[in-house]
Amino acid sequence: MTVSRPSSDRLRVGLDAAVREFVREPINVALLVVLPPVVITSYESMLSAFPRLPYMTTDPGALGATAGTLFVAAFLPAVIGLFQVISAQRADERLSLAGFPELALFVSRLGAVCLATLLTAALSLGVLATTTEVESLALGFLTLAFVGGLYGLIGMLIGTVLPRELEGSLVLIFVVDVDEALASGVIATDAAATKLFPLHYPHEVFQVAVDGTAPAATDVLAAATYGAIVLVATFLVYTALAETGGGGG
């Protein structure tokens, strides 16, 4: 006779396994610690050499530091979400066939991504604060954590439909690079399509956190709606492929 585990036990076991799997790879921990200061200072240094063009609303150096912070906050959780799904795909398929609920599998993977997201947001904001005065640290942290969670879901989604580490990583790099370039104002564009990218509204909220002004309610609502849509889409795709034996590979 099989005795089913309570849902809380299933989530705890799944989350514990996901965290252990992540920490077991030293490169993952190294990326969390090393990448934020390297990327943020590099972005700031590179853009400091640029002239302030007429369409730029802030100093290029400050713009670079902000852009680098959002890039790190998005990219690291996205990569972690991607590898969480790919590395555990076969195990999750077996657990699903054995009766382990797809919701518990999904939440356990997402939980590990969220832990990395919080750590990345804290480190990134800390690095930014050493060179740029951030007026609202609380709002800045919440925005970076949201960005990490959003892109963590996107990484999980890509890892589900494209379960290949190299190809998935290249797709993420391209998407985050283009997204941040358009959202930050480094590239001048008035195209309405830019509002469809994940970082458009979070970037607006993060900028007011740095400046110390109040965020627009429409930006907050739009970002939250975008996040909810990505969460539902990722869950539906993840559970559907788990039930049918995985994605393309």
mmCIF file of all heavy atoms in Angstrom, residues 1 16 33 40 47 67-68 78 83 100 110 114 122 125 138 175 189 195 212 220 223 231 240 247:
data_model
loop_
_atom_site.group_PDB
_atom_site.id
_atom_site.type_symbol
_atom_site.label_atom_id
_atom_site.label_comp_id
_atom_site.label_asym_id
_atom_site.label_seq_id
_atom_site.Cartn_x
_atom_site.Cartn_y
_atom_site.Cartn_z
ATOM 1 N N MET A 1 0.851 -1.200 0.000
ATOM 2 C CA MET A 1 0.000 0.000 0.000
ATOM 3 C C MET A 1 0.884 1.246 0.000
ATOM 4 O O MET A 1 1.863 1.329 0.735
ATOM 5 C CB MET A 1 -0.905 -0.004 1.238
ATOM 6 C CG MET A 1 -1.843 1.213 1.285
ATOM 7 S SD MET A 1 -2.949 1.153 2.739
ATOM 8 C CE MET A 1 -1.770 1.389 4.053
ATOM 9 N N ASP A 16 14.049 21.196 -1.473
ATOM 10 C CA ASP A 16 15.350 20.807 -0.928
ATOM 11 C C ASP A 16 16.221 20.168 -2.003
ATOM 12 O O ASP A 16 17.418 20.465 -2.111
ATOM 13 C CB ASP A 16 15.152 19.825 0.234
ATOM 14 C CG ASP A 16 16.471 19.425 0.874
ATOM 15 O OD1 ASP A 16 17.130 20.303 1.458
ATOM 16 O OD2 ASP A 16 16.840 18.240 0.778
ATOM 17 N N VAL A 33 27.877 35.443 -6.977
ATOM 18 C CA VAL A 33 28.724 36.349 -6.207
ATOM 19 C C VAL A 33 29.547 37.270 -7.113
ATOM 20 O O VAL A 33 29.706 38.453 -6.836
ATOM 21 C CB VAL A 33 29.654 35.552 -5.271
ATOM 22 C CG1 VAL A 33 30.610 36.486 -4.535
ATOM 23 C CG2 VAL A 33 28.841 34.737 -4.284
ATOM 24 N N ILE A 40 27.865 45.192 -13.505
ATOM 25 C CA ILE A 40 27.395 46.540 -13.194
ATOM 26 C C ILE A 40 28.520 47.563 -13.386
ATOM 27 O O ILE A 40 28.319 48.624 -14.004
ATOM 28 C CB ILE A 40 26.837 46.601 -11.759
ATOM 29 C CG1 ILE A 40 25.564 45.741 -11.669
ATOM 30 C CG2 ILE A 40 26.520 48.052 -11.362
ATOM 31 C CD1 ILE A 40 25.063 45.534 -10.255
ATOM 32 N N LEU A 47 29.600 52.935 -20.616
ATOM 33 C CA LEU A 47 28.711 54.022 -21.012
ATOM 34 C C LEU A 47 29.211 55.382 -20.531
ATOM 35 O O LEU A 47 28.792 56.424 -21.070
ATOM 36 C CB LEU A 47 27.303 53.763 -20.490
ATOM 37 C CG LEU A 47 26.502 52.710 -21.262
ATOM 38 C CD1 LEU A 47 25.086 52.601 -20.728
ATOM 39 C CD2 LEU A 47 26.456 53.022 -22.747
ATOM 40 N N ALA A 67 21.337 50.056 -15.993
ATOM 41 C CA ALA A 67 21.111 49.013 -16.995
ATOM 42 C C ALA A 67 21.820 47.718 -16.597
ATOM 43 O O ALA A 67 21.257 46.626 -16.725
ATOM 44 C CB ALA A 67 21.608 49.489 -18.359
ATOM 45 N N GLY A 68 23.046 47.822 -16.104
ATOM 46 C CA GLY A 68 23.773 46.633 -15.674
ATOM 47 C C GLY A 68 23.108 45.937 -14.511
ATOM 48 O O GLY A 68 23.069 44.699 -14.433
ATOM 49 N N ALA A 78 17.187 33.914 -14.786
ATOM 50 C CA ALA A 78 16.749 33.270 -16.028
ATOM 51 C C ALA A 78 17.595 32.046 -16.331
ATOM 52 O O ALA A 78 17.070 30.981 -16.683
ATOM 53 C CB ALA A 78 16.817 34.258 -17.193
ATOM 54 N N PHE A 83 18.415 26.093 -16.315
ATOM 55 C CA PHE A 83 19.161 24.900 -15.951
ATOM 56 C C PHE A 83 18.423 24.049 -14.929
ATOM 57 O O PHE A 83 18.586 22.827 -14.912
ATOM 58 C CB PHE A 83 20.542 25.284 -15.417
ATOM 59 C CG PHE A 83 21.531 25.608 -16.502
ATOM 60 C CD1 PHE A 83 21.550 26.857 -17.094
ATOM 61 C CD2 PHE A 83 22.429 24.662 -16.961
ATOM 62 C CE1 PHE A 83 22.437 27.167 -18.106
ATOM 63 C CE2 PHE A 83 23.327 24.952 -17.977
ATOM 64 C CZ PHE A 83 23.333 26.208 -18.549
ATOM 65 N N PHE A 100 3.457 12.141 -8.498
ATOM 66 C CA PHE A 100 3.855 13.388 -7.844
ATOM 67 C C PHE A 100 3.186 14.530 -8.596
ATOM 68 O O PHE A 100 3.368 14.666 -9.802
ATOM 69 C CB PHE A 100 5.376 13.534 -7.899
ATOM 70 C CG PHE A 100 5.944 14.388 -6.799
ATOM 71 C CD1 PHE A 100 6.282 13.832 -5.577
ATOM 72 C CD2 PHE A 100 6.143 15.737 -6.996
ATOM 73 C CE1 PHE A 100 6.825 14.618 -4.570
ATOM 74 C CE2 PHE A 100 6.668 16.538 -6.004
ATOM 75 C CZ PHE A 100 7.016 15.969 -4.775
ATOM 76 N N LEU A 110 10.405 26.482 -9.037
ATOM 77 C CA LEU A 110 10.258 27.923 -8.958
ATOM 78 C C LEU A 110 10.780 28.447 -7.617
ATOM 79 O O LEU A 110 11.360 29.540 -7.544
ATOM 80 C CB LEU A 110 8.794 28.317 -9.137
ATOM 81 C CG LEU A 110 8.475 29.818 -9.113
ATOM 82 C CD1 LEU A 110 9.257 30.550 -10.196
ATOM 83 C CD2 LEU A 110 6.983 30.045 -9.273
ATOM 84 N N CYS A 114 13.418 31.410 -6.988
ATOM 85 C CA CYS A 114 13.088 32.590 -6.181
ATOM 86 C C CYS A 114 14.150 32.862 -5.116
ATOM 87 O O CYS A 114 14.472 34.028 -4.838
ATOM 88 C CB CYS A 114 11.723 32.410 -5.515
ATOM 89 S SG CYS A 114 10.340 32.538 -6.674
ATOM 90 N N ALA A 122 19.551 41.396 -3.933
ATOM 91 C CA ALA A 122 20.252 42.050 -2.832
ATOM 92 C C ALA A 122 21.681 42.411 -3.219
ATOM 93 O O ALA A 122 22.155 43.529 -2.951
ATOM 94 C CB ALA A 122 20.246 41.142 -1.601
ATOM 95 N N LEU A 125 21.673 45.274 -5.968
ATOM 96 C CA LEU A 125 21.335 46.573 -5.406
ATOM 97 C C LEU A 125 22.474 47.099 -4.536
ATOM 98 O O LEU A 125 22.768 48.301 -4.526
ATOM 99 C CB LEU A 125 20.043 46.473 -4.591
ATOM 100 C CG LEU A 125 19.455 47.799 -4.109
ATOM 101 C CD1 LEU A 125 19.097 48.697 -5.293
ATOM 102 C CD2 LEU A 125 18.222 47.554 -3.234
ATOM 103 N N ALA A 138 14.037 50.061 -0.657
ATOM 104 C CA ALA A 138 12.981 49.050 -0.550
ATOM 105 C C ALA A 138 12.307 48.818 -1.893
ATOM 106 O O ALA A 138 12.145 47.675 -2.342
ATOM 107 C CB ALA A 138 11.950 49.464 0.498
ATOM 108 N N VAL A 175 17.689 37.673 -25.694
ATOM 109 C CA VAL A 175 16.447 38.294 -25.242
ATOM 110 C C VAL A 175 16.723 39.349 -24.172
ATOM 111 O O VAL A 175 16.210 40.479 -24.243
ATOM 112 C CB VAL A 175 15.468 37.227 -24.707
ATOM 113 C CG1 VAL A 175 14.262 37.896 -24.040
ATOM 114 C CG2 VAL A 175 14.996 36.326 -25.835
ATOM 115 N N THR A 189 14.116 54.838 -29.349
ATOM 116 C CA THR A 189 13.033 54.266 -30.129
ATOM 117 C C THR A 189 11.698 54.627 -29.496
ATOM 118 O O THR A 189 11.574 54.675 -28.263
ATOM 119 C CB THR A 189 13.155 52.735 -30.228
ATOM 120 O OG1 THR A 189 12.027 52.208 -30.937
ATOM 121 C CG2 THR A 189 13.215 52.085 -28.856
ATOM 122 N N LYS A 195 6.985 48.110 -25.572
ATOM 123 C CA LYS A 195 6.208 47.909 -24.344
ATOM 124 C C LYS A 195 5.821 46.450 -24.132
ATOM 125 O O LYS A 195 5.334 46.087 -23.060
ATOM 126 C CB LYS A 195 4.946 48.778 -24.380
ATOM 127 C CG LYS A 195 5.236 50.262 -24.381
ATOM 128 C CD LYS A 195 3.968 51.089 -24.346
ATOM 129 C CE LYS A 195 4.278 52.576 -24.309
ATOM 130 N NZ LYS A 195 3.043 53.413 -24.250
ATOM 131 N N GLY A 212 13.863 58.581 -6.537
ATOM 132 C CA GLY A 212 13.143 58.971 -5.333
ATOM 133 C C GLY A 212 11.764 59.535 -5.583
ATOM 134 O O GLY A 212 11.155 60.119 -4.685
ATOM 135 N N VAL A 220 3.134 49.966 -12.460
ATOM 136 C CA VAL A 220 3.101 48.866 -11.484
ATOM 137 C C VAL A 220 2.058 47.827 -11.892
ATOM 138 O O VAL A 220 2.314 46.616 -11.859
ATOM 139 C CB VAL A 220 2.808 49.404 -10.067
ATOM 140 C CG1 VAL A 220 2.649 48.250 -9.085
ATOM 141 C CG2 VAL A 220 3.925 50.342 -9.610
ATOM 142 N N ALA A 223 3.193 45.901 -15.036
ATOM 143 C CA ALA A 223 4.238 44.937 -14.708
ATOM 144 C C ALA A 223 3.656 43.712 -14.002
ATOM 145 O O ALA A 223 4.012 42.567 -14.315
ATOM 146 C CB ALA A 223 5.307 45.598 -13.831
ATOM 147 N N LEU A 231 3.595 33.796 -15.545
ATOM 148 C CA LEU A 231 3.495 32.715 -14.555
ATOM 149 C C LEU A 231 2.518 31.645 -15.010
ATOM 150 O O LEU A 231 2.832 30.443 -14.974
ATOM 151 C CB LEU A 231 3.052 33.299 -13.214
ATOM 152 C CG LEU A 231 2.752 32.288 -12.098
ATOM 153 C CD1 LEU A 231 4.005 31.480 -11.750
ATOM 154 C CD2 LEU A 231 2.203 33.002 -10.867
ATOM 155 N N ALA A 240 1.922 20.602 -18.918
ATOM 156 C CA ALA A 240 1.489 19.886 -20.105
ATOM 157 C C ALA A 240 2.589 18.975 -20.622
ATOM 158 O O ALA A 240 2.353 17.810 -20.965
ATOM 159 C CB ALA A 240 1.067 20.874 -21.187
ATOM 160 N N GLY A 247 9.591 18.018 -23.391
ATOM 161 C CA GLY A 247 9.572 18.811 -24.596
ATOM 162 C C GLY A 247 10.493 18.261 -25.639
ATOM 163 O O GLY A 247 10.988 17.156 -25.561
#
